[in-house]
Amino acid sequence: MSIQFAPDTGLLTLHTAHTSYQMWADSIGVLHHLYYGPSLGAGDDLRGTEFYSDCGFSPQPAGVEDRRYSLDTINQEYTGCGVGDYRIACLSLQNPDGSRTADLRFAGVEILPGKYALPGLPASFGSEDDCQTLRITLKDSVSRLTVTLLYGVFEAADVITRAVLFRNDADGPLTLNKAASACLDLPFGSWDLIHFQGRHCMERQKERMPLPRAVTTLRSARGASSHHHNPFAILAAPDAGEEAGECLGAMLVYSGNFKIECEVSQMGSTRLVAGISDENFSWTLAPGESFTAPEVLFSYSATGLGDLSHQYHRFLQEHVIRSRWKDRPRPVLLNNWEATYMDFDAERLYRIARQARELGVELFVLDDGWFGHRVDDKGGLGDWQINEVKLGCTLPELIHRIHALGMLFGLWVEPEMVSADSDLYAVHPDWAFAVPGRAPTTGRSQLVLDLGRPEVVDHLYQVMSHLLRDNDISYIKWDMNRNLTDVFSRALPASRQGEAAHRYLLGLYALLDRLTTEFPDVLFEGCAGGGGRFDAGMLYYFPQSWCSDDTDPIHRLKIQYGTSFGYPPAAMGSHVSASPNHQSGRSTPLATRAIVAMSGTFGYELDLQTLSDEEKEQVRSQIHTYRSLQPLLLQGRYDRLTDAATDRYFTAWQLTAADQSTAVINLVVLDPQANPWPIHIRPRHLDPKACYRDSLTGRVCSGAALCHAGLTLPALMGTYPAVQITLERTE
Ligand code: GLA
């Protein structure tokens, strides 16, 4: 049993393969958090680890005389508001009388087989063999708000998921001004925060810092999870590294405005609260109505960041990404964006596709510029009919020509947006977010459709499903090229405008649910100006996401490194583009570009006709190599052998087959040395007793020797040289 409840003591203990989690409902119904860490013994009761002291200015709940008992110092599972806990609150409740108080007390538990689902929201899934569900009911007896804490205990995966249901059991309305998904109070220890910040073209840059005695907030107010902060954070012991040390992650399964807040309290405990951002958020519950806060995935590792990442990679692949494509080899694609931008007709596209096919590319993707009157990025969004005048043919004719080459056909769309210069906007100007009486702010000259309105979602479903039904399209790149502003929905009354940003997400998820259910064999790739919505919420629908609009391989090393802490390489769209690179102007060897792109879903984003014959042969052989590496990407283990955020000499990473029969080490030299230092790397997770041949020297030695003594490479000179070393088990 992975969930145990002792009604006599109120102790609740969750067990996964390597971790335990303990809570306690005390005699007045306050739910304490006692522990999350390595597995406890059966019957362990950690109430004795709590510390009670009258620390002054920490008040007592009504009826409690003992001044050592305060919600301000007790570590809690989920907080109320306005009743004496001055740390970050999980909840902000507005009662009809204007008071902003909720005192949550334990009202019961239920243990169920299998995994709970969340209405309208992406959430992890699993069978009764994978998972058990715990429902803890908390009630505020005065407001009659019922808060149900949901826990999914994935035993083998070492993941505990959390989400919250709020129900108004009162006779009048209740308004939630904050409704976090989870709180985690770590009673002891000092922690570093590892988070992933960035900007467009430089997403998910790892940053690590000791948590100060203050509130630290990671957040997005952009209506998307954003390029700037990822909804994933790690708390790591100061000495934790890739191969050792305590660390735990919190990953939101949500793609909109979020907040992950951390606070080190006066008593030295650390609180992490994660959920939808409360900025400009409110949600009114009429009597009997419910609200669901999205899911958070917690995972803990006592053996370092490498294992923590591996736990997340496996979990996302097995229990979050639901596409049929998650285990299928992904076709090697050619995307025409950096090859042509919007300057193309069918003939030009065909010639590019034909060359790509000759070299082994399997999927041709037509990017932006094929529809409506889209001559540049100022118009046309919303009109999803092919521009036959520009292309010189119909869409079926173009697809037919691509198919005749023996290639699959894929298409770019950006359905959530509308250009003021479009037929859709001319008919439905009120469908775009705008505040009456104010000219709306634009981003990339475009406006955002209010997906909180069911008729907008229905329209997009009709248009996209026709496109997919009427045409043999194997792949869709679903883009979102600006963030939300003027978030005002004409479908909502003034008092409910705080719901508009979350309703946008609910509409988007409903749309994606319908489309991906109806077209399960279409490979969808998420994109938001590159990696502006790279999160577990989108991965639930789309098995891969374009990692960044920056295709410079040296920048990509850091972007893909940061992304890898939470997300599997099989989810990262990564392409070989032209040199000099269009974003940075930097020149790099073709081999280096390919080695970097092979750690994601591989493709090309340049006109291969422009390459020399020798380079074309390289492309042919890269595609061949990638096909043989795909099983490693999909099922293998990914390890970071260097810290790409700080190591200046070289960056290395490894992919290892689940059965340890093969591993591939990739290495890129950033700064070649005169009188060079040796490049020495230690592979990981090989079978110590097996023998492996390395493709670099042909030498055979044991996994133990490789993992402990490592590999020493010859000096690599020149401009960003790279090597790919295969380790094959010999018997
Ligand atoms: C975004 C995407 C790019 C490309 C352009 C087209 O920026 O990230 O890959 O599709 O849009 O406008």
Side-chain angles (χ1 to χ4, degrees):
M1 280 286 286
S2 43
I3 303 177
Q4 289 157 355
F5 177 54
D8 49 334
T9 57
L11 265 193
L12 264 161
T13 312
L14 318 181
H15 295 288
T16 69
H18 301 98
T19 70
S20 297
Y21 187 112
Q22 196 166 66
M23 309 167 243
W24 171 46
D26 71 14
S27 59
I28 63 164
V30 170
L31 187 60
H32 301 226
H33 175 83
L34 297 177
Y35 180 76
Y36 183 29
S39 295
L40 299 173
D44 275 334
D45 174 345
L46 297 185
R47 284 178 293 174
T49 60
E50 289 189 300
F51 177 72
Y52 293 94
S53 157
D54 176 1
C55 62
F57 292 88
S58 288
Q60 282 65 58
V64 173
E65 297 289 326
D66 184 348
R67 291 200 183 160
R68 295 170 311 154
Y69 186 103
S70 175
L71 297 182
D72 201 24
T73 52
I74 289 172
N75 298 307
Q76 294 177 68
E77 264 315 286
Y78 197 84
T79 79
C81 49
V83 286
D85 183 348
Y86 298 106
R87 293 166 291 179
I88 305 160
C90 297
L91 175 70
S92 170
L93 177 72
Q94 193 175 328
N95 292 283
D97 63 2
S99 64
R100 288 165 184 255
T101 302
D103 194 0
L104 300 178
R105 299 297 171 95
F106 181 79
V109 297
E110 243 184 310
I111 298 170
L112 302 164
K115 174 69 200 337
Y116 62 82
L118 298 179
L121 286 168
S124 59
F125 48 82
S127 70
E128 293 183 8
D129 293 337
D130 302 321
C131 180
Q132 263 189 313
T133 290
L134 169 67
R135 294 169 62 99
I136 304 178
T137 305
L138 307 176
K139 285 181 189 283
D140 175 45
S141 59
V142 177
S143 69
R144 288 162 61 201
L145 176 72
T146 299
V147 176
T148 304
L149 307 183
L150 298 172
Y151 296 75
V153 183
F154 285 84
E155 194 172 337
D158 276 320
V159 168
I160 294 176
T161 71
R162 291 185 55 181
V164 184
L165 304 178
F166 302 86
R167 197 182 62 230
N168 177 1
D169 289 328
D171 303 326
L174 291 174
T175 298
L176 302 169
N177 290 322
K178 181 173 186 180
S181 299
C183 170
L184 187 64
D185 275 352
L186 300 170
F188 307 108
S190 47
W191 298 91
D192 286 352
L193 173 67
I194 301 177
H195 69 109
F196 306 93
Q197 56 78 34
R199 60 185 195 275
H200 178 227
C201 283
M202 198 41 96
E203 297 87 340
R204 292 173 297 287
Q205 301 297 295
K206 187 193 84 175
E207 191 171 83
R208 180 171 182 160
M209 59 195 187
L211 277 179
R213 289 213 168 214
V215 174
T216 309
T217 303
L218 314 173
R219 43 77 92 171
S220 167
R222 295 170 172 271
S225 49
S226 89
H227 303 80
H228 307 75
H229 293 284
N230 195 262
F232 174 52
I234 298 173
L235 296 180
D239 62 352
E242 287 290 345
E243 293 180 274
E246 276 195 283
C247 45
L248 66 92
M251 177 181 285
L252 272 161
V253 188
Y254 190 60
S255 316
N257 294 338
F258 75 89
K259 252 190 193 177
I260 298 179
E261 300 165 279
C262 297
E263 178 173 4
V264 180
S265 77
Q266 56 174 338
M267 307 297 283
S269 62
T270 297
R271 170 169 290 179
L272 180 146
V273 173
I276 295 178
S277 173
D278 56 338
E279 289 172 71
N280 297 320
F281 169 85
S282 67
W283 197 279
T284 299
L285 294 172
E289 277 185 355
S290 294
F291 178 79
T292 309
E295 184 161 86
V296 185
L297 313 175
F298 285 111
S299 195
Y300 171 91
S301 157
T303 48
L305 296 160
D307 283 344
L308 185 73
S309 294
H310 186 56
Q311 284 159 210
Y312 275 106
H313 294 179
R314 295 306 341 139
F315 190 75
L316 291 175
Q317 286 280 74
E318 288 165 21
H319 299 292
V320 174
I321 300 173
R322 60 177 195 169
S323 165
R324 284 183 187 170
W325 278 96
K326 70 176 163 189
D327 300 319
R328 287 189 192 165
R330 315 285 163 84
V332 174
L333 67 80
L334 183 128
N335 178 305
N336 76 307
W337 179 241
E338 289 195 21
T340 65
Y341 297 101
M342 292 195 203
D343 179 16
F344 56 78
D345 58 16
E347 204 42 49
R348 185 167 182 208
L349 297 174
Y350 178 75
R351 284 197 302 271
I352 291 171
R354 188 178 55 196
Q355 173 66 82
R357 181 64 198 143
E358 273 169 29
L359 300 179
V361 172
E362 296 151 306
L363 164 68
F364 176 76
V365 178
L366 172 52
D367 209 280
D368 194 357
W370 59 269
F371 51 90
H373 40 279
R374 187 144 172 100
V375 283
D376 53 26
D377 65 12
K378 294 195 172 60
L381 291 170
D383 301 339
W384 300 106
Q385 300 85 33
I386 193 163
N387 183 339
E388 291 179 16
V389 177
K390 173 174 177 175
L391 269 289
C393 67
T394 65
L395 186 56
E397 279 164 357
L398 177 65
I399 296 175
H400 178 74
R401 290 187 78 189
I402 299 297
H403 284 167
L405 290 170
M407 295 178 105
L408 302 169
F409 181 82
L411 201 58
W412 177 97
V413 293
E414 197 184 353
E416 299 159 65
M417 300 291 153
V418 66
S419 307
D421 177 16
S422 69
D423 296 345
L424 180 68
Y425 191 72
V427 181
H428 293 294
D430 57 316
W431 280 8
F433 276 131
V435 178
R438 289 180 192 271
T441 309
T442 54
R444 211 191 188 205
S445 309
Q446 62 200 49
L447 300 168
V448 186
L449 292 171
D450 176 4
L451 268 66
R453 295 176 66 167
E455 65 272 38
V456 176
V457 170
D458 277 343
H459 167 80
L460 293 177
Y461 167 73
Q462 293 302 340
V463 172
M464 289 299 136
S465 59
H466 274 128
L467 195 62
L468 289 169
R469 236 177 270 130
D470 298 347
N471 298 286
D472 192 351
I473 294 172
S474 304
Y475 162 106
I476 287 284
K477 177 176 173 188
W478 184 292
D479 212 339
M480 188 229 192
N481 273 318
R482 63 157 291 186
N483 291 139
L484 276 55
T485 56
D486 307 279
V487 182
F488 180 93
S489 175
R490 288 167 212 253
L492 294 172
S495 62
R496 284 182 168 262
Q497 290 300 327
E499 300 175 15
H502 181 57
R503 285 188 184 276
Y504 176 90
L505 263 297
L506 293 178
L508 173 66
Y509 289 147
L511 176 61
L512 301 185
D513 189 45
R514 283 166 85 177
L515 290 171
T516 54
T517 304
E518 187 172 334
F519 302 98
D521 289 315
V522 173
L523 171 58
F524 285 87
E525 174 153 356
C527 179
R533 209 163 48 181
F534 202 120
D535 57 65
M538 293 308 286
L539 288 175
Y540 177 78
Y541 303 99
F542 300 161
Q544 59 193 58
S545 185
W546 183 226
C547 218
S548 179
D549 272 350
D550 187 352
T551 57
D552 174 324
I554 306 308
H555 291 159
R556 274 295 185 117
L557 289 173
K558 286 189 176 183
I559 295 169
Q560 294 176 193
Y561 167 82
T563 308
S564 79
F565 279 83
Y567 306 99
M572 298 183 207
S574 195
H575 301 165
V576 174
S577 61
S579 181
N581 178 268
H582 291 192
Q583 291 79 42
S584 67
R586 183 188 346 232
S587 296
T588 50
L590 182 55
T592 302
R593 281 175 271 155
I595 284 174
V596 175
M598 279 186 207
S599 288
T601 57
F602 185 66
Y604 291 85
E605 188 141 342
L606 75 164
D607 182 351
L608 296 172
Q609 297 174 110
T610 60
L611 301 186
S612 67
D613 288 348
E614 193 192 324
E615 287 173 321
K616 286 178 187 167
E617 275 318 302
Q618 277 190 58
V619 167
R620 204 188 295 280
S621 122
Q622 288 163 359
I623 292 173
H624 182 74
T625 304
Y626 181 69
R627 287 219 190 87
S628 67
L629 290 183
Q630 271 234 337
L632 289 185
L633 271 190
L634 296 171
Q635 274 98 35
R637 178 186 167 114
Y638 180 92
D639 275 291
R640 299 169 290 267
L641 302 183
T642 58
D643 183 340
T646 54
D647 292 348
R648 296 221 178 132
Y649 187 4
F650 62 90
T651 295
W653 65 102
Q654 177 182 342
L655 291 153
T656 313
D659 66 1
Q660 297 173 303
S661 59
T662 324
V664 170
I665 292 170
N666 302 289
L667 186 143
V668 178
V669 174
L670 308 170
D671 187 14
Q673 314 271 302
N675 189 8
W677 279 80
I679 296 179
H680 180 260
I681 41 172
R682 290 194 314 145
R684 295 188 195 144
H685 302 290
L686 301 174
D687 177 352
K689 295 202 174 70
C691 287
Y692 295 85
R693 174 174 286 111
D694 85 68
S695 63
L696 190 71
T697 63
R699 222 161 50 104
V700 175
C701 60
S702 70
L706 282 163
C707 290
H708 299 310
L711 282 168
T712 308
L713 274 61
L716 292 163
M717 316 296 275
T719 309
Y720 304 109
V723 283
Q724 190 164 58
I725 306 163
T726 308
L727 302 170
E728 293 278 0
R729 195 157 53 195
T730 53
E731 84 284 12

